Amino acid sequence: MTKGKKWVLEKHFQGMPKRSDMKIVEFDIPPIKDGSVLLEAVYLSVDPYMRPYTARFPAGITMIGQQIAKVTESKNADFPVGTNVLTMAGWVSHSVSDGKELIKIPPYPKGVPLSLALGTLGMPGMTANYGFVDICAPKAGEVAVVSGAAGAVGNVVGQIAKIKGCKVIGFAGSDEKVAWLKELGFDEAFNYKTIKDLDATLKSVAPNGIDCYFDNVGGEFSSTVLSNMARLGRISCCGAISTYNDTKPLMLPAVHGTLVFKEITMKGFIISTYKDRFPEWIKEHVQWMTEGKLKYKQHVTKGFDNMFDAFMGLFSGANTGKAIVEV
Amino acid sequence: MTKGKKWVLEKHFQGMPKRSDMKIVEFDIPPIKDGSVLLEAVYLSVDPYMRPYTARFPAGITMIGQQIAKVTESKNADFPVGTNVLTMAGWVSHSVSDGKELIKIPPYPKGVPLSLALGTLGMPGMTANYGFVDICAPKAGEVAVVSGAAGAVGNVVGQIAKIKGCKVIGFAGSDEKVAWLKELGFDEAFNYKTIKDLDATLKSVAPNGIDCYFDNVGGEFSSTVLSNMARLGRISCCGAISTYNDTKPLMLPAVHGTLVFKEITMKGFIISTYKDRFPEWIKEHVQWMTEGKLKYKQHVTKGFDNMFDAFMGLFSGANTGKAIVEV
């Protein structure tokens, strides 16, 4: 094969992304120089951050993102042929690297699939660990709420919350997802699309207030959760997927008074800031998986050309667990 | 004298407090029992929190608040006649206490007035220290913004920010206040009532963004500051005085996306939660005063019967520095 394929952002998204905003472009795979490797994509990651981040780059870029790739040609002794790596090459089938930005994927215990390097043992899992353990600082017996709970990050947050001894309340977007959350051990799980009254639901399952809120969605949902926080509560602001496709700023009740009088902390974060701590968290997650305390689910779409559909699944709520594309 | 006076909340405030919402009531000063003391108010504190806190209590209560009082009769060996104390007795001229909630005011160095126990060496000063040093965690060379900067808390925040090596930008509500902030060493100070464009002003004085924001006001002002924060910025949410008299919730642009993508922390607090640390902070403030690094101003209203007018000065912006009533 001498041709590769990549997804190019033709024009910036306006509201919901459209298929016509992107196109698939073929390119010649260049020969590699001394010190470089040729990588072939194995799994592409599908993540919510791709929507807001594209706005930071000019139209014409290759769509950004992480992938698991295999070294298929090597002139770099650190990365022999057959090595599995993580790369930020984007939505591409083939790429050339000098190795500097590559992360080798360590061998996992038997039965743990390679693809988890994009999920529970990768960026989403690390996001769950830092955002919940460090920011929410849960204590046993506290009440934790997770939105986007059946997503790649949210399901890990909920399972860690159980490990830490919390009462865990999850919200997701379908009855099937809710059923999975209950399988995972969530104490309460709700389909946010069909519950009648979020405020009343929160008051009934958390009558003394919510101590920890892991926020994947933002918007009005999070405004209602804020008003149900307990004194000295902590909110981990991980994402705001409910607003990523908005074309004008969403107006919500001012937060300042609530933050003061309930002594609430809200902290936003981007996980790459804490990448030095990934090895420690990966080890912890592998341990929990081995003990049967941390389960996973992957939503696998097959075929490089179906990447756009997989991406849109994030916004329609089609995915349960970590969304990936098998190239 | 056998009669005392107190301010009673006749009915809950609707919007801006009105004189007719309160009345002054005379009462008989009771004889004291063994273990108790009779206190005579010397200075009443005038603070913004009094507005939102009254809503938590039934109508008919004595208006809440702290005061400096002197022991005038004593049947408690721990508090002999002449002892100066802090008490939460409220807006009253005389009160009886068993001593449990009283805090003795230690002797201050020569030239430091007793009344500072309600200001720089009291709750507002402690609020400034915890809220700025602990929450904003300033580093030398960082940019700090303070709203309500000429108030009892704000002026201390700005001076501590200078001590910590920050560039300090203050906002207050009159040209006279702005002149005082410049005397105190603020690098930039603005009258928020007369600047044309807050967003443009912030961008010009903090072109690389704001690292620390000490928020006394909330509302749209704070929304504009948030949009000018630097990556990894910290916001100390101390108060929201601009909204305390609102009769319906103020709607503002949602904060979630900004918190995530700029990795911002917002933390609300009530200083009484940290009262165990007051002695350490008082010592630090006395030291700074002795070194000439921490100055103060008091806005003194004379006469118990003028307490309502002093209180209203908080909302009209009449006060520079700490507002107190000399009984």
Side-chain angles (χ1 to χ4, degrees):
Chain A
M1 184 194 289
T2 54
K3 293 277 183 188
K5 288 199 277 192
K6 61 183 177 182
W7 283 85
V8 170
L9 180 72
E10 282 274 282
K11 52 174 189 275
H12 279 123
F13 306 130
Q14 290 289 326
M16 195 65 84
K18 292 187 292 295
R19 178 64 183 82
S20 58
D21 296 333
M22 295 185 208
K23 66 175 179 189
I24 297 177
V25 174
E26 286 206 341
F27 62 91
D28 292 324
I29 297 169
I32 60 170
K33 296 178 195 156
D34 276 354
S36 288
V37 294
L38 177 65
L39 300 169
E40 199 173 305
V42 182
Y43 295 105
L44 302 181
S45 193
V46 183
D47 299 292
Y49 74 81
M50 294 167 170
R51 170 66 182 83
Y53 273 49
T54 52
R56 302 182 171 197
F57 297 96
I61 58 158
T62 299
M63 283 294 295
I64 55 173
Q66 199 174 35
Q67 60 171 248
I68 295 172
K70 191 180 282 292
V71 175
T72 54
E73 279 182 48
S74 179
K75 293 186 178 176
N76 181 325
D78 291 340
F79 296 93
V81 168
T83 307
N84 291 316
V85 297
L86 286 165
T87 166
M88 287 301 296
W91 299 19
V92 300
S93 67
H94 296 77
S95 58
V96 173
S97 169
D98 63 6
K100 283 185 188 137
E101 64 102 21
L102 301 181
I103 298 164
K104 277 185 212 179
I105 302 172
Y108 293 151
K110 196 166 168 347
V112 176
L114 175 66
S115 55
L116 290 197
L118 295 176
T120 302
L121 301 178
M123 205 156 61
M126 307 300 99
T127 300
N129 196 312
Y130 173 76
F132 189 70
V133 179
D134 277 64
I135 298 181
C136 288
K139 292 190 272 292
E142 287 192 327
V143 174
V145 166
V146 191
S147 57
V153 175
N155 85 81
V156 180
V157 170
Q159 293 182 83
I160 295 177
K162 284 311 300 175
I163 291 167
K164 298 291 179 185
C166 295
K167 173 176 179 176
V168 184
I169 303 157
F171 289 87
S174 75
D175 292 348
E176 186 197 339
K177 290 180 183 183
V178 165
W180 181 50
L181 297 181
K182 288 184 174 164
E183 266 175 49
L184 289 179
F186 281 61
D187 297 281
E188 303 278 355
F190 300 96
N191 180 343
Y192 75 88
K193 291 181 178 170
T194 55
I195 54 168
K196 288 203 182 78
D197 183 337
L198 175 60
D199 186 65
T201 302
L202 290 170
K203 285 182 168 58
S204 93
V205 292
N208 298 317
I210 297 154
D211 303 292
C212 306
Y213 174 40
F214 192 99
D215 184 4
N216 281 307
V217 302
E220 285 187 24
F221 186 96
S222 295
S223 198
T224 304
V225 177
L226 174 61
S227 69
N228 283 286
M229 294 298 288
R231 178 174 170 259
L232 294 167
R234 291 83 63 196
I235 301 178
S236 184
C237 301
C238 174
I241 196 169
S242 73
T243 65
Y244 289 165
N245 294 314
D246 288 353
T247 50
K248 57 182 184 179
L250 177 69
M251 301 300 278
L252 292 173
V255 299
H256 307 90
T258 307
L259 295 188
V260 173
F261 295 114
K262 286 195 169 174
E263 305 178 69
I264 303 292
T265 303
M266 290 179 85
K267 183 174 168 71
F269 69 105
I270 293 176
I271 194 58
S272 53
T273 300
Y274 308 94
K275 61 177 184 293
D276 292 350
R277 293 175 60 192
F278 284 11
E280 140 201 2
W281 295 326
I282 291 171
K283 202 174 149 192
E284 196 168 30
H285 286 204
V286 168
Q287 177 66 26
W288 285 332
M289 291 181 83
T290 309
E291 294 166 2
K293 293 176 185 166
L294 182 54
K295 300 184 173 68
Y296 67 89
K297 188 170 272 192
Q298 300 185 109
H299 185 98
V300 185
T301 302
K302 298 206 174 185
F304 183 85
D305 292 359
N306 295 321
M307 184 68 187
F308 178 79
D309 297 327
F311 180 54
M312 294 307 290
L314 297 174
F315 305 110
S316 66
N319 308 321
T320 301
K322 172 60 185 154
I324 54 174
V325 164
E326 192 177 329
V327 177
Chain B
M1 183 193 288
T2 54
K3 294 275 182 188
K5 287 200 278 192
K6 61 182 178 181
W7 283 86
V8 170
L9 180 71
E10 282 275 282
K11 53 174 189 274
H12 280 123
F13 306 131
Q14 290 289 326
M16 195 66 83
K18 292 186 294 294
R19 179 63 183 82
S20 58
D21 297 331
M22 294 186 209
K23 67 175 178 189
I24 298 177
V25 174
E26 287 205 341
F27 62 92
D28 292 324
I29 298 169
I32 59 170
K33 296 178 194 155
D34 274 355
S36 289
V37 295
L38 177 65
L39 300 168
E40 198 173 306
V42 182
Y43 296 105
L44 303 181
S45 193
V46 183
D47 298 292
Y49 73 80
M50 294 167 171
R51 171 65 182 82
Y53 272 49
T54 53
R56 303 182 171 198
F57 298 96
I61 59 158
T62 299
M63 283 295 295
I64 56 173
Q66 200 175 35
Q67 60 171 249
I68 295 172
K70 191 181 283 290
V71 176
T72 55
E73 279 182 48
S74 179
K75 292 185 179 177
N76 180 325
D78 291 339
F79 296 94
V81 169
T83 306
N84 290 315
V85 297
L86 287 165
T87 167
M88 288 300 295
W91 300 19
V92 299
S93 66
H94 295 77
S95 58
V96 172
S97 170
D98 62 7
K100 283 185 189 138
E101 66 101 21
L102 301 180
I103 299 164
K104 276 186 212 179
I105 302 172
Y108 293 150
K110 199 167 163 352
V112 176
L114 175 67
S115 55
L116 291 196
L118 294 176
T120 302
L121 300 179
M123 206 156 60
M126 306 301 98
T127 300
N129 196 313
Y130 173 77
F132 189 69
V133 178
D134 278 64
I135 298 182
C136 288
K139 292 189 272 289
E142 287 192 326
V143 174
V145 165
V146 191
S147 58
V153 175
N155 85 81
V156 180
V157 170
Q159 294 183 81
I160 294 177
K162 285 311 300 174
I163 291 167
K164 299 290 178 186
C166 296
K167 173 175 178 178
V168 184
I169 303 157
F171 289 86
S174 76
D175 293 348
E176 186 196 339
K177 291 180 183 183
V178 165
W180 182 50
L181 296 181
K182 288 185 174 161
E183 267 176 49
L184 290 180
F186 280 62
D187 297 281
E188 305 278 353
F190 300 96
N191 180 342
Y192 75 88
K193 290 182 179 169
T194 57
I195 54 169
K196 289 204 182 76
D197 184 337
L198 175 60
D199 186 65
T201 302
L202 290 170
K203 285 182 168 57
S204 93
V205 293
N208 299 317
I210 297 153
D211 302 293
C212 305
Y213 173 41
F214 192 99
D215 184 4
N216 281 307
V217 302
E220 285 187 24
F221 186 96
S222 295
S223 196
T224 304
V225 177
L226 174 61
S227 68
N228 282 285
M229 294 298 287
R231 179 175 168 258
L232 294 169
R234 289 83 63 196
I235 301 178
S236 183
C237 301
C238 173
I241 196 169
S242 72
T243 64
Y244 289 165
N245 294 314
D246 289 354
T247 49
K248 55 182 185 179
L250 178 68
M251 301 300 279
L252 292 174
V255 300
H256 308 90
T258 307
L259 295 187
V260 174
F261 295 114
K262 287 195 167 175
E263 304 177 71
I264 302 293
T265 303
M266 290 179 87
K267 184 174 166 72
F269 69 105
I270 292 176
I271 194 57
S272 52
T273 300
Y274 308 95
K275 61 177 182 292
D276 291 350
R277 294 175 59 192
F278 285 12
E280 139 201 4
W281 295 326
I282 291 172
K283 202 173 149 191
E284 195 169 31
H285 286 205
V286 168
Q287 177 66 27
W288 285 333
M289 292 183 82
T290 308
E291 294 166 3
K293 292 175 184 167
L294 182 55
K295 299 185 174 67
Y296 67 89
K297 188 171 272 193
Q298 300 185 110
H299 185 97
V300 185
T301 301
K302 298 207 174 185
F304 183 84
D305 292 0
N306 295 320
M307 184 67 188
F308 179 79
D309 297 328
F311 180 54
M312 294 307 290
L314 296 173
F315 306 109
S316 65
N319 308 320
T320 301
K322 172 60 185 155
I324 54 175
V325 164
E326 193 177 327
V327 177

